[in-house]
Amino acid sequence: MKRWAICYVSTASPDMEEKDIDNILSYTENWNMDHNITGILLCSEGNFFQVIEGESAIIQELFANIAKDSRHRNLIKIFNKEIKNTTFTGYEAAFLSKQTKNLTQNISYLEYLKYLYPASQNTVKNMLKAFVD
Ligand SMILES: Cc1cc2nc3c(=O)[nH]c(=O)nc-3n(C[C@H](O)[C@H](O)[C@H](O)COP(=O)(O)O)c2cc1C
């Protein structure tokens, strides 16, 4: 089976409310788990960061759908490539700004990671490190 991975960032459309984002997160978590898609969808401060990995045709078809979704814009692809093995072990969708809303101090993106499942934390940390190093 040919495996594919796509990673991008985008901006939520201005009319999006918290409940609309919650709907996207729960919908994607269900659909992706049912279709053996691994990865992550994070939403923080009105921005999305997503990685989807799985069977090539499914990933490319899903991405074409996501890319034309009017609930976000300014989509920037970070990678779009064939992979030997998947990096993520499951699929997680998280609304980071909500979980950290009650914190008064500003926290960095890397610090947000501690609100994810431990397995996702390491994968995202390694991915972000690749940009910094
Ligand atoms: C930021 C963002 C990420 C999304 N990620 C996924 C996803 O990973 N899986 C999924 O099934 N739908 C995702 N969607 C929803 C799709 O764009 C689309 O609504 C869904 O595939 C249903 O398409 P349909 O209404 O044409 O059947 C995402 C939407 C947005 C705005």
Side-chain angles (χ1 to χ4, degrees):
M1 182 179 88
K2 196 169 167 185
R3 288 175 186 279
W4 207 265
I6 297 178
C7 172
Y8 71 86
V9 288
S10 66
T11 312
S13 298
D15 54 344
M16 292 287 281
E17 292 175 9
E18 211 167 282
K19 65 169 179 8
D20 302 317
I21 293 179
D22 281 338
N23 284 341
I24 295 174
L25 297 185
S26 57
Y27 178 88
T28 65
E29 207 161 50
N30 288 328
W31 200 89
N32 294 6
M33 281 175 171
D34 286 350
H35 293 83
N36 289 324
I37 294 173
T38 53
I40 197 161
L41 172 60
L42 304 180
C43 180
S44 175
E45 315 290 340
N47 298 306
F48 293 108
F49 170 89
Q50 187 172 33
V51 180
I52 44 175
E53 316 173 311
E55 200 274 315
S56 180
I58 293 180
I59 293 298
Q60 295 189 53
E61 201 176 306
L62 172 61
F63 182 72
N65 225 11
I66 294 173
K68 59 173 201 259
D69 195 315
S70 63
R71 291 173 290 180
H72 65 160
R73 48 184 68 175
N74 304 330
L75 192 154
I76 301 169
K77 243 189 265 176
I78 297 170
F79 59 75
N80 181 12
K81 61 181 185 186
E82 189 174 352
I83 49 168
K84 291 264 172 293
N85 297 301
T86 53
T87 320
F88 290 87
T89 47
Y91 190 83
E92 184 180 5
F95 196 162
L96 294 178
S97 350
K98 196 154 79 178
Q99 286 160 28
T100 56
K101 203 156 58 180
N102 298 326
L103 297 177
T104 45
Q105 77 275 33
N106 285 329
I107 65 169
S108 74
Y109 273 104
L110 276 173
E111 283 175 272
Y112 272 128
L113 295 180
K114 61 173 175 265
Y115 296 94
L116 301 174
Y117 296 137
S120 306
Q121 281 182 27
N122 287 332
T123 313
V124 176
K125 220 180 262 172
N126 289 336
M127 219 166 242
L128 291 177
K129 267 202 202 125
F131 288 102
V132 179
D133 292 344

